Amino acid sequence: MTDTTMNGGERFWGCGTALVTPFTASGDVDERALGELVEWQVAEGIHFLVPCGSTGEAATMTPEEQARVVSIVVERVAGRVPVVAGAGSNDTRRAIELSRMMGDAGATHLLQVSPMYNKPPQRGIIAHFRAIAESTELPIILYNVPGRTGSNMEARTTLALAELPNVIAVKEASGNMGQVLEILRNRPADFSVLSGDDALTLPMMAAGGHGVISVTSNATPALMSRLVECLRASDMDGARALHEQLLPWMGAAFVEPNPMPAKAALAMMGRIENVLRLPLVPLANDHEPAVRGALTTAGAL
């Protein structure tokens, strides 16, 4: 979603679901379940959707599968909310090609993760994103997640990239609030800072952030969207109540690597089959009570 800043620019905000990719028992994309999941998310009031990110298991999908998933999401959304397609890679040329494919599939925005494994220096990260930004007219949301990539995108790097015309936001999952505050303090007026950690949505938005790209909203889209709306409206009492209701699920959603708990939760809710692609495996049995209990507390079961 966007709003208008004081200088007339558009700022991206809201709660977006980092969407899981449902698979059939044979391991193919479950197109029916995906379409129904998208329809439910929109009906529940989600502000935007983010297919083909790490939660969507893009690492084990072919580019053609990613394009098909995005096209299904775009078709079911039918213009009601933005579709922010994951198109990241640690190979800049591949990220550029994926960006083109996601645009052709109808994505309205791109999510571009900082390069993983290669561990480029900060100037390499800047060069990577600059090349991608120059290759597309789509708005880009940067994604900093050191726990997955092996390197941190420093605040000065994010701020340098924020000057590019079509780099509109960052999904910050470093967990470093000092870094987040530096970005918030020095960002351009129309540049958004989104939490990449569900449990930090409240403090990040209280400090001036603009929303979250959420894992937990796979199972609780209405509650997470309301949390962001309360924070945007400065309704701190309402936000704290929702945060406390969701906090057990925010914890349980990461008892094992994402998206294993999220897929288990959606399977408990009867929305998808609990199928993942190797090397990911279904949630361990001894974690199921915690997930089920957290969903019950949140009112999802």
Side-chain angles (χ1 to χ4, degrees):
M1 305 292 283
T2 59
D3 61 11
T4 303
T5 64
M6 290 182 65
N7 64 1
E10 293 292 322
R11 181 188 293 123
F12 195 85
W13 72 274
C15 175
T17 297
L19 203 63
V20 304
T21 303
F23 296 123
T24 65
S26 62
D28 297 322
V29 174
D30 189 337
E31 297 190 2
R32 179 198 58 79
L34 175 62
E36 291 177 357
L37 184 62
V38 167
E39 192 63 43
W40 175 65
Q41 288 275 325
V42 175
E44 288 284 287
I46 205 68
H47 300 127
F48 59 99
L49 289 169
V50 188
C52 297
S54 49
T55 304
E57 298 177 74
T60 56
M61 295 168 65
T62 67
E64 292 74 23
E65 284 178 318
Q66 288 181 244
R68 178 59 182 156
V69 165
V70 170
S71 68
I72 292 168
V73 174
V74 168
E75 181 179 352
R76 293 302 292 259
V77 161
R80 291 174 289 176
V81 299
V83 176
V84 183
S89 174
N90 60 344
D91 175 353
T92 305
R93 291 177 299 178
R94 177 180 167 87
I96 288 171
E97 177 60 17
L98 281 171
S99 298
R100 182 193 64 76
M101 293 177 69
M102 298 308 105
D104 290 346
T108 60
H109 299 68
L110 300 172
L111 181 70
Q112 289 287 351
V113 67
S114 185
M116 69 293 292
Y117 192 76
N118 310 49
K119 299 183 73 172
Q122 297 299 304
R123 67 182 185 278
I125 294 172
I126 290 173
H128 171 80
F129 283 123
R130 185 183 299 277
I132 296 168
E134 290 174 351
S135 76
T136 181
E137 295 182 356
L138 289 178
I140 293 171
I141 298 175
L142 310 173
Y143 182 17
N144 182 35
V145 57
R148 285 188 180 269
T149 63
S151 65
N152 179 47
M153 189 164 68
E154 297 173 5
R156 62 184 175 88
T157 299
T158 299
L159 292 167
L161 291 166
E163 299 296 332
L164 298 175
N166 57 335
V167 173
I168 65 163
V170 63
K171 176 186 177 182
E172 246 294 337
S174 66
N176 183 338
M177 283 300 294
Q179 179 166 290
V180 171
L181 291 172
E182 184 177 348
I183 296 168
L184 285 168
R185 183 171 60 249
N186 296 302
R187 64 181 173 81
D190 56 356
F191 184 78
S192 299
V193 180
L194 307 171
S195 176
D197 183 333
D198 286 277
L200 293 182
T201 305
L202 189 152
M204 280 184 63
M205 289 193 69
H210 307 98
V212 60
I213 294 180
S214 170
V215 173
T216 59
S217 62
N218 274 283
T220 55
L223 291 178
M224 282 300 299
S225 296
R226 282 168 47 200
L227 171 63
V228 168
E229 289 165 4
C230 283
L231 288 163
R232 190 164 181 260
S234 299
D235 176 8
M236 292 306 297
D237 288 341
R240 277 192 294 267
L242 286 163
H243 177 79
E244 290 173 7
Q245 182 180 353
L246 285 161
L247 198 57
W249 170 224
M250 290 177 177
F254 299 96
V255 290
E256 286 198 301
N258 174 50
M260 290 158 56
K263 280 199 156 179
L266 287 167
M268 291 174 190
M269 297 168 68
R271 296 202 171 273
I272 67 170
E273 297 296 322
N274 191 18
V275 179
L276 298 98
R277 286 184 174 174
L278 290 172
L280 295 182
V281 290
L283 187 72
N285 291 338
D286 57 350
H287 289 308
E288 288 187 5
V291 170
R292 189 176 296 276
L295 292 174
T296 300
T297 298
L301 283 178

